Amino acid sequence: MNEIIMMPTMAKRFNLGEYAEEAVIVEDTIIRTPSHLHFIEANTSEVTLQHLRNDCITPVFAKDNELTLNHALVIETVQEAAQDFFRGEIVDDAAIRVSHTIKGRIPEAIHKPANQLLESDKTIYYERCAFSIDVPSIWQEVNGNRLNLSIVGVRAYNHTNLMSKKVPEAIRLGIGFKNQVCCNMCIFTDGYKDDLKVSNTSELYKAALELFNNFNTAKQIHLMQQLGGTTMSQHTFCQILGKARLYQCLSTNAQKRLPRMLLTDTQINTVAKSYITDENFGANGAELNMWQFYNLLTGANKSSYIDSFLDRSLNASELALGINAALHGDEKYKWFID
């Protein structure tokens, strides 16, 4: 296992556990993700925090008219938690993607024809929002790719019943590494909370700090590095793709007896196409290592809707690690390679 690259402040604060001896303290040049690459792509648009803060209305709970935690407030809170926890590191501003635009009108414009509406007559908010906050001063090279530490969050109003009285609101939050070659997100179990329910920004701030503190950076790096040491033939790769397509056709009971596989048929087709065409991780008939396979999965996941993005990010990690173990004789994911 190679060394984890981090600035002096964080070397003392991270949960390194049994991997602590692998960490070193260095000063290094900061490299950021190219602006044309995005951590999630299809079905989303890029917006600024200023737009969310100044141009979007805030939905309310229908039965008591209590305000929700709007997207801007969620992002600002997580950003503050990241800056406080990673004090001494470089914490970038959030990259923000939104989808499912909800349009409305102010009361004075209710009876206006649509083609006569002024911009001041319109209201807007987004049902779903995803954001990524990079910490480029904490990075690691894995199998020839530079990975920066990244915090990623999802705020989707469809995860919370807004037709009720005010209840704790669902937010999904993860911390992992972002591949700078392609902007693929690498999310593992101990860096993901899919069940956060918070009523205010104080609870969200605390939950974010707890997630950052419990994340074992060195363990995730170690698991990803292991993937580069295992290869599969084109025949085995095609076997996995075929089983992944077959999985979608199984009954619910049959699927429950197998490890979960959340990628859709369309995304599996993307993995197949990328095996031939992807200049960074494709093999085009040659052997494929498990790091390449993992990035084909995470690359296909970038077409997910925002509300399923993080669950599928985690599942891509589960599949890559599970199939890697199966290639070494483990039984749990054996069905995918038999």
Side-chain angles (χ1 to χ4, degrees), residues 116-141:
Q116 295 180 17
L117 288 173
L118 304 174
E119 287 303 313
S120 58
D121 295 331
K122 302 174 185 178
T123 65
I124 189 175
Y125 74 91
Y126 304 97
E127 183 185 80
R128 305 172 193 184
C129 174
F131 59 92
S132 174
I133 301 168
D134 284 2
V135 187
S137 56
I138 300 177
W139 62 275
Q140 172 67 44
E141 185 172 299

Side-chain angles (χ1 to χ4, degrees), residues 183-230:
C183 218
N184 293 351
M185 286 298 309
C186 305
I187 298 294
F188 286 68
T189 304
D190 66 346
Y192 179 40
K193 292 291 291 182
D194 64 350
D195 57 354
L196 285 182
K197 295 289 183 68
V198 298
S199 298
N200 51 58
T201 55
S202 295
E203 291 178 2
L204 176 58
Y205 178 87
K206 180 181 178 182
L209 291 182
E210 289 176 351
L211 178 67
F212 303 157
N213 188 61
N214 292 333
F215 177 56
N216 192 322
T217 315
K219 180 180 179 182
Q220 179 174 332
I221 291 294
H222 177 67
L223 291 173
M224 291 189 294
Q225 287 173 332
Q226 284 186 321
L227 295 175
T230 302

Side-chain angles (χ1 to χ4, degrees), residues 23-153:
V24 295
I25 303 171
V26 302
E27 302 286 344
D28 202 85
T29 303
I30 301 303
I31 297 178
R32 291 182 169 87
T33 304
S35 59
H36 67 280
L37 296 176
H38 305 291
F39 67 100
I40 183 172
E41 294 175 339
N43 313 307
T44 66
S45 301
E46 185 175 14
V47 298
T48 65
L49 184 60
Q50 181 179 7
H51 168 67
L52 293 178
R53 187 190 298 121
N54 298 333
D55 302 328
C56 297
I57 63 171
T58 299
V60 299
F61 288 92
K63 290 189 176 181
D64 56 13
N65 206 31
E66 289 285 344
L67 289 173
T68 61
L69 297 174
N70 63 43
H71 298 325
L73 200 55
V74 168
I75 295 168
E76 288 170 338
T77 301
V78 176
Q79 183 94 37
E80 181 183 358
Q83 290 168 342
D84 289 346
F85 186 84
F86 296 107
R87 187 172 289 114
E89 301 295 335
I90 296 173
V91 179
D92 287 346
D93 292 336
I96 307 167
R97 309 288 293 185
V98 295
S99 70
H100 294 72
T101 305
I102 310 297
K103 297 180 179 180
R105 304 180 180 195
I106 63 174
E108 294 78 5
I110 288 177
H111 300 295
K112 280 189 178 182
N115 61 0
Q116 295 180 17
L117 288 173
L118 304 174
E119 287 303 313
S120 58
D121 295 331
K122 302 174 185 178
T123 65
I124 189 175
Y125 74 91
Y126 304 97
E127 183 185 80
R128 305 172 193 184
C129 174
F131 59 92
S132 174
I133 301 168
D134 284 2
V135 187
S137 56
I138 300 177
W139 62 275
Q140 172 67 44
E141 185 172 299
V142 175
N143 299 307
N145 298 146
R146 171 140 174 170
L147 277 64
N148 285 352
L149 190 71
S150 186
I151 298 148
V152 61

Side-chain angles (χ1 to χ4, degrees), residues 227-248:
L227 295 175
T230 302
T231 59
M232 69 172 83
S233 66
Q234 179 178 254
H235 176 81
T236 301
F237 175 72
C238 292
Q239 177 78 10
I240 294 169
L241 293 186
K243 284 297 185 73
R245 293 292 301 274
L246 181 61
Y247 182 95
Q248 309 287 353

Side-chain angles (χ1 to χ4, degrees), residues 146-179:
R146 171 140 174 170
L147 277 64
N148 285 352
L149 190 71
S150 186
I151 298 148
V152 61
V154 164
R155 175 70 169 105
Y157 288 122
N158 60 312
H159 288 162
T160 300
N161 181 14
L162 298 184
M163 300 308 295
S164 68
K165 292 183 179 180
K166 184 172 177 64
V167 294
E169 301 176 49
I171 295 170
R172 295 178 177 178
L173 193 62
I175 180 171
F177 283 87
K178 182 186 292 180
N179 194 330

